[in-house]
Amino acid sequence: MADYPQILFKNRRPGETVLIDEFCKNGGYQGLKKALKSMTPSEVREAVKESGLRGRGGAGFSTGMKWSFFPADQPGDKYLVVNGDEMEPGTYKDKELILADPHQVIEGVIISAWALQVPEAYIFIRYAYEECTRNLERAIEEAKQAGYLGANILGSGYGLKIHLHRSAGRYILGEETSQLNGIEGVRATPRSKPPFPAVKGLFGKPTTVNNVETLACVPHILTGGSEWFKNLAQNSDGAGTKLFGLSGHLEITKCFELPVGITLREVLEIGGGMRGGKAFKACLPGGASTPYLTPGHLDVALDFDPLAEVGSRFGTAGVTVFDADTCMVGATLNLMRFFARESCGWCTPCRDGLVMVRWILEEIESGRGSRELIAMLKGQYKNIAGRSFCALAEGAMGPLEGLLKHFEDELEAHVTKGRCPFRS
């Protein structure tokens, strides 16, 4: 493996968590000191914007641009919400980050809250992440004791409260407005927009929602500079490093910090190549809600714009790999079972459409398929894509789009043979 810069994982050691003393010895909280002592909030916001940082939670929207919509100079109650829900299959980067280095996340939250002039922040953590929760609780308390968090941070006059909110579960809570409802204790369904959270969010007040990994990048942007952060990327116009969670049919399946813009071919090599020496068939490049890549995409740069150009998405960089023996109909069915189960039931395309897609794929996979059902599958894709209330069903159409685009021959083979051709 090449010697790639380790920024977010620089303190990472197997099975260990960095506490505050070691974190500070390795440069921790220097970004916070710089922000509070030598920069204005608007200068911090501008540095993040110039860095090219894009959201690491899946959508990839410019973080600085998102912050520009927030009324940072407006007095009154405002909130920062940190999305650590992470329930998408194949995505586990935030978990690895918090397990290794929770103070990095806390520092990013404090700097970002100060840049937005927010007095309270909520970290929304997935219910199953019990060890992550304990790490964050300890880090919050350590930061308070050291004067980095509380009523008068480093004597600046700025104060911040960080609340840790444990999720009750469900994938829909990863959608930002559903997450706000979850914190408020009401049914976790998406909200109609506009108004957007920056205008009317948590408890009816202006709110910005950012991903855990996104905010962990902020201290490094301040200490290293915006241009330095941009130049961490390779082979693309992107910026920074990215946490890639590898899973599936690779020899090595774990989370790596790699440059934005690295090619799929290089990522497969870092994962030790295909398990058992089998041929690469496909992968989900950015979590379960992204269209498949195939061998023809091995040299595509893994970044937001290059992947959009080839009909997929960077998403969370959860790279799930499938070998040549994989039935892509069965793989897609497995994903559809998840998405159909996790629908909140708020809108018809998601509530009923995903169940229909699941049923069609079950019929085809079990040998009861027909060409009429393949036509129905294509029709359901058109009925759902771009028509749901939030992005859940739209994301669910990602792997189905990839199946129809790259593996329609497998659908046909299931119908022709009257069974799954990958089963003996």
Side-chain angles (χ1 to χ4, degrees), residues 275-328:
R275 187 186 304 164
K278 294 183 179 179
F280 168 76
K281 184 173 187 177
C283 79
L284 298 161
S289 62
T290 54
Y292 299 117
L293 298 183
T294 65
H297 300 119
L298 285 171
D299 295 313
V300 171
L302 297 183
D303 191 2
F304 297 99
D305 294 337
L307 283 170
E309 289 171 5
V310 298
S312 191
R313 294 191 304 109
F314 196 22
T316 60
V319 182
T320 303
V321 177
F322 305 99
D323 66 26
D325 293 337
T326 304
C327 171
M328 298 310 296

Side-chain angles (χ1 to χ4, degrees), residues 45-277:
R45 298 195 300 269
E46 186 60 27
V48 170
K49 187 175 182 179
E50 290 178 356
S51 74
L53 175 65
R54 296 176 66 167
R56 300 321 201 205
F61 193 75
S62 164
T63 304
M65 184 66 71
K66 188 173 189 176
W67 285 6
S68 72
F69 302 143
F70 188 81
D73 300 323
Q74 174 183 309
D77 293 338
K78 294 171 287 187
Y79 299 98
L80 170 64
V81 173
V82 186
N83 188 345
D85 184 58
E86 197 167 57
M87 280 194 67
E88 179 150 308
T91 299
Y92 57 97
K93 62 186 181 60
D94 295 339
K95 173 187 174 183
E96 293 298 310
L97 183 57
I98 297 170
L99 287 177
D101 203 352
H103 277 284
Q104 188 172 199
V105 177
I106 299 301
E107 183 181 11
V109 172
I110 300 168
I111 295 171
S112 302
W114 184 77
L116 297 168
Q117 291 294 282
V118 165
E120 289 188 74
Y122 283 80
I123 300 177
F124 189 96
I125 189 77
R126 179 180 174 181
Y127 74 97
Y129 285 1
E130 295 180 2
E131 188 175 353
C132 291
T133 301
R134 291 192 293 271
N135 281 359
L136 289 171
E137 288 174 335
R138 181 174 58 237
I140 288 170
E141 188 58 36
E142 287 180 336
K144 286 179 182 176
Q145 295 298 322
Y148 298 125
L149 187 60
N152 183 23
I153 300 173
L154 298 176
S156 65
Y158 170 71
L160 175 68
K161 292 181 180 178
I162 296 180
H163 308 277
L164 197 58
H165 183 94
R166 296 171 182 82
S167 165
R170 297 311 296 265
Y171 177 63
I172 189 61
L173 284 157
E175 195 277 332
E176 64 176 10
T177 61
S178 297
Q179 191 162 114
L180 301 182
N181 280 344
I183 295 173
E184 291 181 7
V186 298
R187 182 181 174 186
T189 54
R191 298 179 182 179
S192 180
K193 295 180 284 189
F196 291 90
V199 176
K200 185 179 180 181
L202 188 63
F203 306 123
K205 303 298 182 179
T207 304
T208 284
V209 182
N210 288 119
N211 173 255
V212 164
E213 184 188 353
T214 305
L215 297 189
C217 292
V218 172
H220 304 290
I221 292 170
L222 298 193
T223 56
S226 298
E227 278 302 310
W228 165 83
F229 186 79
K230 276 185 180 179
N231 291 332
L232 291 172
Q234 70 177 41
N235 302 328
S236 71
D237 294 326
T241 62
K242 183 76 185 69
L243 302 184
F244 287 76
L246 308 190
S247 59
H249 300 147
L250 289 171
E251 291 288 353
I252 303 170
T253 52
K254 67 178 188 177
C255 194
F256 294 91
E257 182 176 8
L258 303 170
V260 168
I262 192 170
T263 65
L264 176 58
R265 187 185 302 276
E266 291 172 287
V267 168
L268 297 182
E269 291 172 357
I270 290 165
M274 299 300 296
R275 187 186 304 164

